Amino acid sequence: TFVVTENCIKCKFTDCVDVCPVDCFHAGPNFLVIDPDECIDCTLCEPECPANAIFAEDEVPEGQEQFIALNAELSKIWPSITEVQPAAADADAWNGKEGKLDLLER
Ligand code: SF4
Ligand code: F3S
């Protein structure tokens, strides 16, 4: 399965949802997650993310392993998202900032 990691937080560009053939993205207030039970490992979303936040489960960067469980948990709670939305005005400024996990809104 593929996993959305920390750099999506407060960027939420949503380019990823446009290419997913099985619509497995789910959206919270400032972060997106992938439902691991729906993802078919097509790899299409990974290069679409301007924040490089999407990784195969076994390639999640060191220190971000907790996002595997977060995607599984939050995808069951948050609604599905299938259409690109405008990113927040300050999304580019947050791209690459560290320590964003504390800013994740549920
Ligand atoms: Fe969707 Fe494919 Fe990305 Fe999985 S790898 S979330 S199926 S686009
Ligand atoms: Fe997030 Fe990247 Fe998608 S920033 S919303 S995973 S395009």
Side-chain angles (χ1 to χ4, degrees):
T1 192
F2 278 64
V3 177
V4 185
T5 61
E6 182 169 24
N7 203 33
C8 175
I9 296 169
K10 291 187 76 73
C11 285
K12 199 184 177 189
F13 289 113
T14 74
D15 301 59
C16 53
V17 307
D18 208 27
V19 298
C20 182
V22 293
D23 296 343
C24 59
F25 284 90
H26 295 255
N30 64 5
F31 184 52
L32 253 61
V33 291
I34 291 168
D35 186 337
D37 296 330
E38 294 176 359
C39 176
I40 57 170
D41 288 333
C42 75
T43 78
L44 290 176
C45 59
E46 185 178 10
E48 293 301 319
C49 176
N52 294 317
I54 303 175
F55 294 89
E57 184 174 7
D58 58 4
E59 292 174 359
V60 168
E62 208 178 323
Q64 299 209 36
E65 295 86 354
Q66 58 201 307
F67 281 89
I68 297 170
L70 267 178
N71 276 244
E73 177 197 346
L74 297 173
S75 62
K76 304 304 182 201
I77 301 169
W78 287 348
S80 173
I81 176 172
T82 58
E83 289 184 9
V84 176
Q85 295 174 357
D90 59 354
D92 285 329
W94 283 99
N95 192 352
K97 285 246 166 69
E98 292 185 8
K100 291 198 281 182
L101 179 55
D102 290 343
L103 303 171
L104 173 64
E105 294 173 38
R106 289 172 174 255

